[in-house]
Amino acid sequence: MIKYWRVLRLFWSTSIAAELEYRLNFLIATLSSLTNLIGGLFGLFLFYRTGYTFQGWNWLEAMMVLGVFTFLQGVSGAFLIPNLNKIVQQVEQGTLDFVLLKPIDSQFWLSTRAISPWGLPDLFFGSIIILYAGGRLGLNAGDYLRGALPTLCGIFILYSLWFILGATSIWFVKIYNVTEVLRGFLEAGRYPIVAYPVMYRVFFTFVVPVAFLTTVPAEMVLGRGEIHRAIGTAILAVILFLFSRFFWRFALRFYTSASS
């Protein structure tokens, strides 16, 4: 474990040093994040300006969901996109050979090799929205801690789904569009799951588990979530993560390397 922590520190220190050579990108990423956040708030405003509510979700509670979604986007931008989107490239260019030859777990290498500071603005703005909405709703530190575990589980769910899709590149190299479809589905997490018709709720709960990424963590923070949903989120996170491990090892049986 100590070895992996040292490797992780080396990965991230060199990655940040390389990224900071283009500091103007951070300003562009911040403006982009702010624009997306304003767009999300404006979308909520269009619903709530006439007094309409999402079946019991008032304006501030819906903002909490948007804050969790923005925070999750920051996690994706900082940790998932810089790594998982490159799995396809590793397979296509044959550089996965060198990863498999390293004396370190290949899934760990592919999942943690890089970190991007350009995801930090979304992490910051998402946290600000969560704290602002929570402050207006009278939440305390215990309320936020109650939502920490479901949020962490949501991150693992998203990671596992993304990694599984990336692993399919061993059979289907051109899967960029598939990952973009997944990101498109995740946009549904901007709003509480009750904002959608029943058929869509079923889809975003049992097919693409968007509800477990944003709505359930927000419900737990607000103290209105049922405990079985939080337990279900944790179980789903564990199952998907273990399946991603199994699926990666299974996929490697069919990897024939760049030279064969």
Side-chain angles (χ1 to χ4, degrees):
M1 182 62 70
I2 295 177
K3 180 184 75 171
Y4 277 87
W5 277 113
R6 290 175 177 172
V7 171
L8 186 64
R9 184 174 62 180
L10 179 62
F11 280 169
W12 288 1
S13 61
T14 55
S15 180
I16 291 176
E19 291 285 355
L20 289 180
E21 294 180 5
Y22 309 96
R23 298 179 184 179
L24 183 61
N25 287 350
F26 185 76
L27 176 60
I28 296 174
T30 302
L31 293 176
S32 177
S33 299
L34 185 59
T35 301
N36 288 333
L37 179 60
I38 293 174
L41 290 172
F42 181 71
L44 280 180
F45 171 75
L46 292 179
F47 285 106
Y48 282 88
R49 65 186 178 87
T50 59
Y52 173 83
T53 60
F54 290 140
Q55 296 185 19
W57 290 77
N58 63 36
W59 165 258
L60 291 172
E61 291 169 341
M63 281 185 63
M64 182 69 69
V65 177
L66 179 61
V68 175
F69 171 80
T70 305
F71 183 86
L72 199 62
Q73 272 197 321
V75 172
S76 299
F79 302 100
L80 302 186
I81 293 176
N83 293 292
L84 304 189
N85 278 8
K86 292 183 179 179
I87 296 178
V88 180
Q89 179 182 341
Q90 297 274 4
V91 175
E92 187 176 11
Q93 297 181 356
T95 52
L96 181 61
D97 294 7
F98 303 105
V99 176
L100 298 177
L101 291 173
K102 296 181 185 298
I104 192 173
D105 184 84
S106 58
Q107 183 170 351
F108 175 83
W109 196 99
L110 292 169
S111 303
T112 62
R113 178 62 183 87
I115 182 175
S116 174
W118 319 137
L120 297 181
D122 276 330
L123 287 172
F124 175 75
F125 291 133
S127 300
I128 292 297
I129 291 295
I130 292 171
L131 292 174
Y132 170 78
R136 293 287 302 275
L137 291 168
L139 303 182
N140 54 44
D143 296 318
Y144 291 114
L145 288 176
R146 189 170 55 233
L149 181 59
T151 302
L152 180 62
C153 291
I155 293 171
F156 271 93
I157 290 172
L158 179 58
Y159 160 78
S160 301
L161 290 174
W162 210 319
F163 188 86
I164 291 169
L165 287 178
T168 61
S169 63
I170 289 179
W171 294 281
F172 315 104
V173 178
K174 303 295 184 180
I175 65 163
Y176 291 105
N177 292 337
V178 178
T179 57
E180 289 302 315
V181 169
L182 174 63
R183 292 181 64 184
F185 281 138
L186 297 178
E187 288 292 322
R190 288 181 180 269
Y191 309 114
I193 199 66
V194 297
Y196 303 98
V198 175
M199 290 186 61
Y200 288 92
R201 295 181 205 174
V202 173
F203 180 81
F204 288 131
T205 301
F206 299 104
V207 181
V208 182
V210 174
F212 295 102
L213 303 183
T214 57
T215 299
V216 172
E219 286 178 335
M220 296 306 298
V221 172
L222 295 170
R224 55 189 293 177
E226 300 176 358
I227 187 64
H228 72 269
R229 298 191 69 180
I231 294 175
T233 303
I235 293 175
L236 180 62
V238 172
I239 291 175
L240 284 176
F241 179 73
L242 292 178
F243 181 74
S244 73
R245 298 281 296 169
F246 165 79
F247 188 76
W248 176 244
R249 292 174 182 175
F250 174 75
L252 287 179
R253 298 178 185 177
F254 299 86
Y255 181 67
T256 55
S257 86
S259 59
S260 61

